[in-house]
Amino acid sequence: MTVGLDLLEIERIERALERRPNLARRLFTDGELAYARSRGRPAQHLAARFCAKEAVTKALGLDLLVPLDIEVLAGGADVGLRLHGAARARAEELGVEVLLSLTHARELAGAVAVLR
């Protein structure tokens, strides 16, 4: 079993998105942005999704994070994942499914990706 894990201080992504408004479009799909914006503290959900992208990249053994190649669908118990580009090709090459779990608290967000 291969696992990828990532943690992020939510404040870091809040500051980065404030400083560089176009950054959100480079890191997140329209669906991810819409989901986060429908929540009380969008940065919490964006941070968890960024962690998911990092965790999936690590689990798949990819050398480079390509944020839009990894798309987090929905949230909570219904969280899902759609892979595109190099991430999809690598998962197919390995013959694996990627399982994902997200979490966030007041200050931290995290994600775990497991290959099955």
Side-chain angles (χ1 to χ4, degrees):
M1 180 183 311
T2 302
V3 176
L5 168 70
D6 197 63
L7 294 172
L8 177 64
E9 293 173 340
I10 296 166
E11 188 177 303
R12 287 186 66 197
I13 199 141
E14 283 177 320
R15 285 193 318 256
L17 293 173
E18 285 174 12
R19 282 192 317 267
R20 297 176 16 218
N22 293 330
L23 181 61
R25 290 269 175 219
R26 294 194 350 244
L27 297 178
F28 304 104
T29 66
D30 289 340
E32 290 169 327
L33 291 169
Y35 179 86
R37 289 176 180 149
S38 74
R39 302 298 185 230
R41 186 177 178 201
Q44 219 174 24
H45 301 277
L46 293 176
R49 278 150 181 73
F50 186 79
C51 288
K53 295 166 186 278
E54 288 279 7
V56 169
T57 297
K58 292 171 184 176
L60 290 173
L62 296 170
D63 293 329
L64 179 65
L65 168 64
V66 180
L68 298 180
D69 279 1
I70 301 163
E71 181 178 8
V72 179
L73 307 171
D78 296 326
V79 71
L81 189 64
R82 183 176 299 138
L83 301 177
H84 308 278
R88 182 178 179 168
R90 179 66 173 156
E92 288 174 354
E93 175 188 328
L94 295 172
V96 297
E97 174 186 13
V98 182
L99 305 177
L100 185 62
S101 180
L102 306 177
T103 191
H104 52 75
R106 184 176 309 199
E107 297 178 13
L108 290 174
V112 176
V114 177
L115 303 186
R116 175 173 72 173

Coordinates of all heavy atoms in Angstrom, one line a residue, residues 1-4 56 59-60 79-83 87-88 90-100 112-116:
M1 N 0.8 -1.2 0.0 CA 0.0 0.0 0.0 C 0.9 1.2 0.0 O 1.9 1.3 0.7 CB -0.9 0.0 1.2 CG -1.8 1.2 1.3 SD -2.8 1.3 2.8 CE -3.5 -0.3 2.9
T2 N 0.5 2.2 -0.8 CA 1.3 3.5 -0.9 C 0.4 4.6 -0.4 O -0.8 4.7 -0.7 CB 1.7 3.8 -2.3 OG1 2.5 2.7 -2.8 CG2 2.5 5.0 -2.4
V3 N 1.0 5.4 0.4 CA 0.2 6.5 1.1 C 1.0 7.9 0.8 O 2.2 7.9 0.8 CB 0.2 6.3 2.6 CG1 -0.5 7.5 3.3 CG2 -0.6 5.0 2.9
G4 N 0.2 8.9 0.6 CA 0.7 10.3 0.5 C 0.0 11.1 1.5 O -1.2 10.9 1.7
V56 N -1.8 13.3 -3.3 CA -2.0 12.4 -4.5 C -0.7 12.4 -5.3 O -0.2 11.3 -5.7 CB -3.2 12.8 -5.3 CG1 -3.2 12.1 -6.7 CG2 -4.5 12.6 -4.6
A59 N 1.7 10.1 -3.4 CA 1.3 8.7 -3.4 C 1.6 8.1 -4.8 O 2.0 7.0 -4.9 CB -0.2 8.6 -3.1
L60 N 1.4 8.9 -5.8 CA 1.6 8.4 -7.2 C 3.1 8.4 -7.6 O 3.5 7.9 -8.6 CB 0.8 9.2 -8.2 CG -0.7 9.0 -8.2 CD1 -1.4 9.9 -9.1 CD2 -1.1 7.5 -8.5
V79 N -16.6 12.9 -0.5 CA -15.4 13.4 -1.2 C -15.0 12.4 -2.3 O -15.1 11.2 -2.1 CB -14.2 13.7 -0.3 CG1 -13.6 12.4 0.3 CG2 -13.1 14.5 -1.0
G80 N -14.7 12.9 -3.4 CA -14.2 12.1 -4.6 C -13.0 12.7 -5.2 O -12.6 13.8 -4.9
L81 N -12.6 12.1 -6.3 CA -11.4 12.5 -6.9 C -11.5 12.2 -8.4 O -12.0 11.1 -8.8 CB -10.2 11.7 -6.3 CG -8.8 12.1 -6.7 CD1 -8.5 13.5 -6.2 CD2 -7.8 11.1 -6.1
R82 N -11.1 13.1 -9.2 CA -11.0 12.9 -10.7 C -9.6 13.3 -11.1 O -9.1 14.4 -10.8 CB -12.0 13.8 -11.4 CG -12.0 13.6 -12.9 CD -13.1 14.3 -13.6 NE -14.4 14.0 -13.2 CZ -15.4 14.8 -12.9 NH1 -15.2 16.1 -13.1 NH2 -16.5 14.4 -12.5
L83 N -8.9 12.4 -11.8 CA -7.5 12.6 -12.2 C -7.5 13.0 -13.7 O -8.3 12.4 -14.5 CB -6.7 11.4 -12.0 CG -6.6 10.9 -10.5 CD1 -5.7 9.7 -10.4 CD2 -6.0 12.0 -9.6
A87 N -1.3 12.8 -13.9 CA -1.8 12.0 -12.7 C -2.6 10.8 -13.1 O -2.5 9.7 -12.6 CB -2.6 12.9 -11.8
R88 N -3.5 11.1 -14.1 CA -4.4 10.0 -14.6 C -3.5 8.9 -15.2 O -3.7 7.7 -15.0 CB -5.4 10.5 -15.5 CG -6.3 9.4 -16.0 CD -7.4 10.0 -17.0 NE -8.2 8.9 -17.4 CZ -9.3 9.1 -18.1 NH1 -9.8 10.4 -18.3 NH2 -10.1 8.1 -18.5
R90 N -0.4 8.2 -14.7 CA 0.4 7.4 -13.7 C -0.5 6.4 -13.0 O 0.0 5.3 -12.7 CB 1.0 8.4 -12.8 CG 1.8 7.8 -11.7 CD 3.1 7.1 -12.2 NE 3.9 6.6 -11.1 CZ 4.7 5.6 -11.1 NH1 5.0 5.0 -12.3 NH2 5.4 5.3 -10.1
A91 N -1.7 6.8 -12.6 CA -2.6 5.9 -11.9 C -2.9 4.7 -12.8 O -2.9 3.6 -12.4 CB -3.9 6.6 -11.5
E92 N -3.2 5.0 -14.1 CA -3.4 3.9 -15.0 C -2.2 3.0 -15.2 O -2.4 1.8 -15.3 CB -3.9 4.5 -16.4 CG -5.3 5.1 -16.3 CD -5.7 5.8 -17.6 OE1 -4.9 5.9 -18.5 OE2 -6.9 6.2 -17.6
E93 N -1.1 3.6 -15.3 CA 0.2 2.8 -15.4 C 0.4 1.9 -14.2 O 0.8 0.7 -14.4 CB 1.4 3.8 -15.5 CG 2.7 3.2 -15.5 CD 3.8 4.2 -15.4 OE1 3.7 5.3 -15.9 OE2 4.9 3.9 -14.8
L94 N 0.1 2.4 -13.1 CA 0.2 1.6 -11.8 C -1.0 0.6 -11.6 O -0.9 -0.3 -10.8 CB 0.4 2.5 -10.6 CG 1.6 3.4 -10.5 CD1 1.5 4.3 -9.4 CD2 2.9 2.5 -10.4
G95 N -2.0 0.9 -12.3 CA -3.2 0.0 -12.2 C -3.9 0.2 -10.8 O -4.4 -0.8 -10.2
V96 N -3.9 1.5 -10.3 CA -4.5 1.7 -9.0 C -5.6 2.7 -9.0 O -5.8 3.5 -10.0 CB -3.4 2.3 -8.1 CG1 -2.2 1.3 -7.9 CG2 -2.8 3.6 -8.6
E97 N -6.4 2.7 -8.0 CA -7.4 3.6 -7.7 C -6.9 4.5 -6.5 O -6.2 3.9 -5.6 CB -8.7 2.9 -7.2 CG -9.8 3.8 -6.7 CD -11.0 3.0 -6.1 OE1 -10.9 1.8 -5.9 OE2 -12.0 3.7 -5.9
V98 N -7.1 5.8 -6.5 CA -6.7 6.6 -5.4 C -7.8 7.0 -4.5 O -8.8 7.5 -4.9 CB -6.0 7.9 -6.0 CG1 -5.5 8.8 -4.8 CG2 -5.0 7.6 -7.0
L99 N -7.7 6.6 -3.2 CA -8.7 6.9 -2.2 C -8.2 8.2 -1.5 O -7.0 8.3 -1.3 CB -8.8 5.8 -1.3 CG -9.2 4.4 -1.9 CD1 -9.3 3.3 -0.9 CD2 -10.5 4.5 -2.7
L100 N -9.1 9.0 -1.0 CA -8.7 10.3 -0.5 C -9.5 10.6 0.8 O -10.7 10.3 0.9 CB -9.1 11.3 -1.5 CG -8.7 12.8 -1.2 CD1 -7.2 12.9 -1.1 CD2 -9.2 13.7 -2.4
V112 N -4.9 12.8 3.1 CA -4.2 11.5 3.0 C -4.8 10.9 1.7 O -6.0 10.8 1.5 CB -4.5 10.6 4.2 CG1 -3.9 9.2 3.9 CG2 -4.0 11.2 5.5
A113 N -3.8 10.4 0.9 CA -4.2 9.7 -0.4 C -3.6 8.3 -0.2 O -2.4 8.1 0.1 CB -3.6 10.4 -1.6
V114 N -4.4 7.3 -0.6 CA -4.0 5.9 -0.5 C -4.2 5.2 -1.8 O -5.3 5.4 -2.4 CB -4.8 5.1 0.6 CG1 -4.4 3.7 0.6 CG2 -4.6 5.8 2.0
L115 N -3.2 4.5 -2.3 CA -3.4 3.8 -3.6 C -3.9 2.4 -3.3 O -3.4 1.7 -2.4 CB -2.0 3.7 -4.3 CG -1.3 5.0 -4.7 CD1 -0.1 4.7 -5.5 CD2 -2.2 6.0 -5.3
R116 N -4.9 2.0 -4.0 CA -5.5 0.7 -3.9 C -5.6 0.0 -5.2 O -5.9 0.6 -6.2 CB -6.9 0.8 -3.3 CG -7.6 -0.6 -3.2 CD -8.8 -0.5 -2.4 NE -9.8 0.2 -3.2 CZ -11.1 0.3 -2.9 NH1 -11.5 -0.2 -1.7 NH2 -12.0 0.9 -3.6

